[in-house]
Amino acid sequence: MSIRYVRGPRRAGAAVLLAATLTLSMAACGSDDGNGKGKEPSSSSAPAKSKDTGSPSGETLPDTSQVLVTVKGDKGIDLILHVAKRDEGGFLTLTGEFKNTTGSRVVTPVQWSGQEEAVARTGPSLAAMTLVDSQDKKRYYVLRDTDNRPLTTTSYDSGIDAGKSLPFFAQFPAPAQTTTKVDLQFPGFTTATIEIS
């Protein structure tokens, strides 16, 4: 028997073995407990849930134990920045809150969302927030995902009630490790220098 006649059965056997393996794998993934519901994923494969800090809406509130800077706005809203921290992967995340210091409801300005049409279509955001690194002469904009949604607080209410706060976060590319201070710029507020960790 020549080699070419031996290869045919071997290939056929390998194909049958592969098909059987795939069938068993699919059966294992689609198994159920007999009542029509699939099994719950194991705890090792389930994504970790973010810790709820007690917000009525279920969102994570910023750490308010420290204040890096407080900037007075032109509509009676204070921008209070609590954290400016470098994250793994080369990001810089700001967390803080906008506090209404007036005696009445203040409407959040549309300028907060920035002037980019693609971003504005995604709804209210803080996309107009920028950071300026005077040392390296660079300006950093809020990061966007692949659908042009800014990586910042979005879809918030159109106003802030008297005495209430709007918690926020905004994520930027991290400046160079040698940069320890940046200028925070946001429409309606004076420029503030902040220290980053």
Side-chain angles (χ1 to χ4, degrees), residues 135-172:
Q135 177 181 311
D136 288 343
K137 296 179 172 56
K138 291 183 179 179
R139 180 181 297 272
Y140 296 93
Y141 295 88
V142 171
L143 292 168
R144 274 69 159 160
D145 66 13
T146 54
D147 294 321
N148 275 326
R149 289 187 299 260
L151 300 183
T152 180
T153 300
T154 58
S155 302
Y156 46 81
D157 195 9
S158 61
I160 305 173
D161 291 330
K164 300 295 184 180
S165 294
L166 167 67
F168 78 86
F169 83 95
Q171 196 168 54
F172 300 85

Side-chain angles (χ1 to χ4, degrees), residues 65-132:
S65 61
Q66 64 176 343
V67 174
L68 296 181
V69 68
T70 299
V71 187
K72 299 284 185 185
D74 58 6
K75 295 189 180 294
I77 298 178
D78 288 355
L79 188 163
I80 304 168
L81 186 65
H82 297 293
V83 178
K85 184 179 179 183
R86 296 176 191 272
D87 300 326
E88 291 182 15
F91 305 117
L92 175 67
T93 302
L94 306 184
T95 57
E97 58 186 310
F98 294 100
K99 185 168 186 175
N100 181 353
T101 60
T102 71
S104 59
R105 181 177 173 84
V106 175
V107 175
T108 52
V110 294
Q111 290 83 2
W112 287 9
S113 298
Q115 297 180 357
E116 295 178 55
E117 291 181 12
V119 174
R121 284 196 293 268
T122 65
S125 72
L126 308 178
M129 192 176 287
T130 60
L131 298 177
V132 177

Side-chain angles (χ1 to χ4, degrees), residues 13-29:
V16 169
L17 180 60
L18 180 61
T21 302
L22 288 173
T23 302
L24 287 173
S25 297
M26 292 180 72
C29 291

Side-chain angles (χ1 to χ4, degrees), residues 4-22:
R4 63 181 177 165
Y5 292 114
V6 173
R7 285 183 182 165
R10 282 185 184 169
R11 285 183 183 159
V16 169
L17 180 60
L18 180 61
T21 302
L22 288 173

